[in-house]
Amino acid sequence: MSDATIYDDGLGRNAANHVPLSPVSFLARTTAVYPDRIAVVHGPLRRTWGETGTRCRRLASALSRRGVAKGMTVAIMAPNVPEFLEASFGVPMAGAVLNSLNTRLDADAVAFMLKHSEARVVISDRIFADVMEEAIGMLESKPLVVDIDDPQAGGGRLIGAMTYEEFLAEGDPEYPINGPDDEWDAISLNYTSGTTGDPKGVVYHHRGAYLNALGNTVTWAMPHFPVYLWTLPMFHCNGWCFPWTITAMAGTHVCLRALSSEAILDAVADNEVTHLCGAPIVMNMMLGGDDAHWDRIKHSVQMLTAASAPPAAVLERMAARGVDVTHVYGLTEVYGPAMVCAWNPDWNALDMEDQATLKARQGVTYAVQEAMMVADPETMEPVRPDGEMMGEIMMRGNITMKGYLKNPKTTAKAFEGGWFHTGDLAVMHPNGYAEIKDRSKDIIISGGENISTIEVEGVLYRHPDVAEAAVVARPDEKWGETPCAFVTLRSGADVSEDAIIAFCRDNMAHFKCPKTVVFAELPKTSTGKVQKFVLRQQAAEL
């Protein structure tokens, strides 16, 4: 026998030494080891891990009894409530795929997603009754609708065949907490607008979800029993995998239906919250709270932020309040955060302005993502690490999506050359830290939400008085960025900025609408292409 084969002879995979990776296993362990620890806080509601595990079992069983099987889609439209956490486990336990719907979308977009994903069941919070009823009304094949009838909702109505609690009652509390037969099986589906207004369905696998959930703990040096406040929407990349992360660490999920400075600060104080995530807008919201609320917080807090880099003044104010901020970067296609501005303790000696400059960098890969480079997307040659030469951020590894649902052409393009192309232009610094300089896809990130400029422009062009339109990001203190529309009117037309904005609000989700409209001739190249870099400069000066 040759040396090359001695480690293969009789040493194959079997049930004893190989189990498919799945975050479902975190629930099995935590409910067995810590059944009496508090798993969920939702206003006055408290549930232990034992109780939460039973509810997840019932959900999985009820779905199975209703015919939901491997590879079928279960959609959820809900704020950060306990039912969302339960769906993060119960749906994959049934072998199904969880499609978390963006709660800010309009009925047309939701209907597209439900049809495209072939959703069999929709779990919907009562406050979204209007948009969900309209969306489902557009479908030829109607899914089973289950209502979350949360007593803390404070409004809305029921549109489903039964309530969530009635649905759980159909399930077996002893249903096994099992993962998939193959860790490559899909666990979730998240839609992203990408470079156009057509949503693309990003498919995650169990292996990636498992690894990134653990990657969060490594990146954040998270201890056992964290108390995590849900300020980040759970629909964002499956809450950046934190439903699974906090469960693995036997932590406590503190749910918030809606955000305000008072709600966040009071929740932090009342529950001694140790960790939270969110876009810079969440930090601004917190800093807008008065001293009476801040003074109740007597402990240090860790915060993970993404989207646009937090300004130095914001970081300084957060630090003064006892909140330590870590900057991460990622996309839907890489399970949320996949890079981090890993902090060098030597940098603590720098002044706050210099620290903020460093923290603004997107940094290096998560420990569970194999590689990142900044390279020319055509030649695939890495850029010089001089902080000046620009290229595209590319990644590869186990926390990269399976691909785009029913879209092989776009999937292949995204993976050209054996790397995932993010579309974000960046430089590489001498220390190996990447820093984004521009977005090649012209995506606007407003309050952590992606807005396609092409989609907004499409709506503007539908206005009868608009001859030309171009949309770019305008810096905004509260939201990070907001859409700014440059519009050329048809000859003889007389229309106001308010009228243009109102038209957009009538034809698309409100958060995507321009906050500013400038009437002007659009700058163009000799070939007629709009020079968006000129418009971005003008928008920044408004």
Side-chain angles (χ1 to χ4, degrees):
M1 184 179 295
S2 70
D3 291 346
T5 60
I6 62 172
Y7 289 104
D8 293 327
D9 185 34
L11 302 179
R13 297 180 185 182
N14 57 65
N17 66 19
H18 181 80
V19 177
L21 301 180
S22 171
V24 167
S25 66
F26 302 147
L27 182 68
R29 181 181 188 274
T30 294
T31 55
V33 179
Y34 304 107
D36 298 324
R37 290 194 67 87
I38 296 298
V40 174
V41 173
H42 183 44
L45 176 68
R46 301 287 188 279
R47 287 201 185 107
T48 66
W49 275 113
E51 293 168 331
T52 297
T54 297
R55 290 173 63 83
C56 293
R57 291 170 182 264
R58 285 188 178 276
L59 175 58
S61 174
L63 290 168
S64 297
R65 289 176 175 179
R66 289 279 181 161
V68 173
K70 179 180 176 179
M72 295 182 181
T73 305
V74 175
I76 184 168
M77 182 71 146
N80 292 345
V81 292
E83 291 83 354
F84 215 138
L85 171 65
E86 293 161 9
S88 300
F89 288 95
V91 172
M93 283 164 57
V97 180
L98 180 65
N99 174 210
S100 304
L101 298 168
N102 186 327
T103 59
R104 301 174 72 182
L105 293 176
D106 56 23
D108 286 337
V110 172
F112 172 88
M113 294 171 186
L114 295 177
K115 181 178 181 180
H116 187 254
S117 68
E118 303 176 33
R120 301 298 185 95
V121 177
V122 174
I123 301 170
S124 179
D125 191 275
R126 62 180 297 140
I127 65 171
F128 301 114
D130 290 345
V131 67
M132 294 305 293
E133 188 171 58
E134 183 179 353
I136 291 168
M138 300 178 190
L139 305 177
E140 292 183 9
S141 179
K142 310 294 185 188
L144 171 67
V145 179
V146 177
D147 289 305
I148 299 175
D149 189 13
D150 184 358
Q152 299 182 47
R157 56 193 174 87
L158 304 181
I159 61 171
M162 67 191 73
T163 68
Y164 183 84
E165 297 302 320
E166 291 169 339
F167 190 61
L168 288 194
E170 297 181 0
D172 179 1
E174 300 300 324
Y175 190 87
I177 303 178
N178 287 337
D181 294 329
D182 187 343
E183 61 190 23
W184 184 250
D185 285 351
I187 187 173
S188 66
L189 172 68
N190 296 286
Y191 282 91
T192 179
S193 59
T195 58
T196 72
D198 297 327
K200 299 194 296 290
V202 177
V203 181
Y204 292 177
H205 46 68
H206 283 255
R207 176 182 177 83
Y210 178 99
L211 290 171
N212 212 30
L214 295 182
N216 285 332
T217 68
V218 173
T219 299
W220 226 356
M222 182 177 283
H224 282 91
F225 317 124
V227 180
Y228 181 85
L229 179 63
W230 275 104
T231 44
L232 174 78
M234 288 191 192
F235 68 71
H236 261 313
C237 313
N238 296 105
W240 294 356
C241 296
F242 276 97
W244 303 312
T245 295
I246 303 304
T247 301
M249 303 306 290
T252 299
H253 298 265
V254 181
C255 297
L256 277 182
R257 286 192 65 93
L259 301 186
S260 69
S261 59
E262 291 78 12
I264 294 172
L265 298 177
D266 286 347
V268 170
D270 293 341
N271 301 283
E272 297 188 0
V273 166
T274 59
H275 296 76
L276 73 158
C277 297
I281 185 175
V282 177
M283 287 191 282
N284 288 330
M285 188 181 294
M286 293 170 68
L287 291 170
D290 58 38
D291 289 343
H293 292 278
W294 276 105
D295 290 346
R296 297 184 59 231
I297 300 174
K298 307 297 184 183
H299 62 286
S300 62
V301 179
Q302 300 289 319
M303 183 169 186
L304 214 61
T305 191
S308 52
V314 172
L315 289 174
E316 188 171 6
R317 292 174 65 195
M318 291 294 280
R321 292 291 195 180
V323 181
D324 182 24
V325 179
T326 299
H327 184 211
V328 295
Y329 161 79
L331 305 91
T332 304
E333 288 88 342
V334 289
Y335 295 71
M339 290 174 60
V340 59
C341 186
W343 195 248
N344 185 326
D346 293 343
W347 298 343
N348 291 326
L350 301 174
D351 61 39
M352 186 56 66
E353 191 71 30
D354 288 338
Q355 288 190 35
T357 298
L358 291 168
K359 281 195 174 184
R361 295 176 183 175
Q362 282 60 46
V364 295
T365 61
Y366 260 36
V368 294
Q369 183 72 314
E370 294 305 309
M372 176 274 296
M373 71 173 178
V374 179
D376 184 311
E378 300 299 325
T379 65
M380 299 299 289
E381 287 294 319
V383 302
R384 295 186 303 273
D386 57 8
E388 294 183 5
M389 185 179 182
M390 285 211 301
E392 184 178 0
I393 292 182
M394 303 181 192
M395 286 185 260
R396 61 160 51 137
N398 294 298
I399 57 169
T400 303
M401 65 172 178
K402 293 184 70 166
Y404 298 113
L405 182 67
K406 301 178 183 177
N407 201 336
K409 183 177 180 181
T410 304
T411 298
K413 183 173 179 59
F415 291 152
E416 281 182 350
W419 291 81
F420 167 62
H421 295 240
T422 68
D424 286 330
L425 300 180
V427 298
M428 181 65 80
H429 289 278
N431 66 352
Y433 280 51
E435 180 181 4
I436 288 178
K437 291 295 184 180
D438 199 0
R439 297 187 182 93
S440 63
K441 301 176 182 179
D442 289 327
I443 282 291
I444 297 170
I445 302 179
S446 183
E449 296 282 355
N450 284 2
I451 301 172
S452 165
T453 58
I454 293 176
E455 181 182 3
V456 182
E457 289 162 3
V459 171
L460 288 166
Y461 272 107
R462 286 158 53 188
H463 192 287
D465 292 324
V466 171
E468 292 184 308
V471 176
V472 297
R474 180 188 178 191
D476 185 89
E477 184 176 349
K478 178 180 180 182
W479 297 100
E481 297 174 338
T482 57
C484 177
F486 288 82
V487 172
T488 302
L489 295 177
R490 298 189 185 279
S491 179
D494 183 16
V495 62
S496 68
E497 178 183 22
D498 288 344
I500 293 291
I501 293 174
F503 177 83
C504 291
R505 289 174 68 86
D506 288 340
N507 288 278
M508 66 192 311
H510 290 183
F511 78 94
K512 298 182 180 181
C513 297
K515 301 297 187 292
T516 311
V517 178
V518 178
F519 297 102
E521 293 293 324
L522 304 184
K524 299 175 182 175
T525 65
S526 58
T527 59
K529 184 177 180 181
V530 176
Q531 296 175 306
K532 283 200 169 182
F533 72 95
V534 174
L535 297 181
R536 279 193 286 269
Q537 292 172 356
Q538 294 178 10
E541 295 169 358
L542 292 175

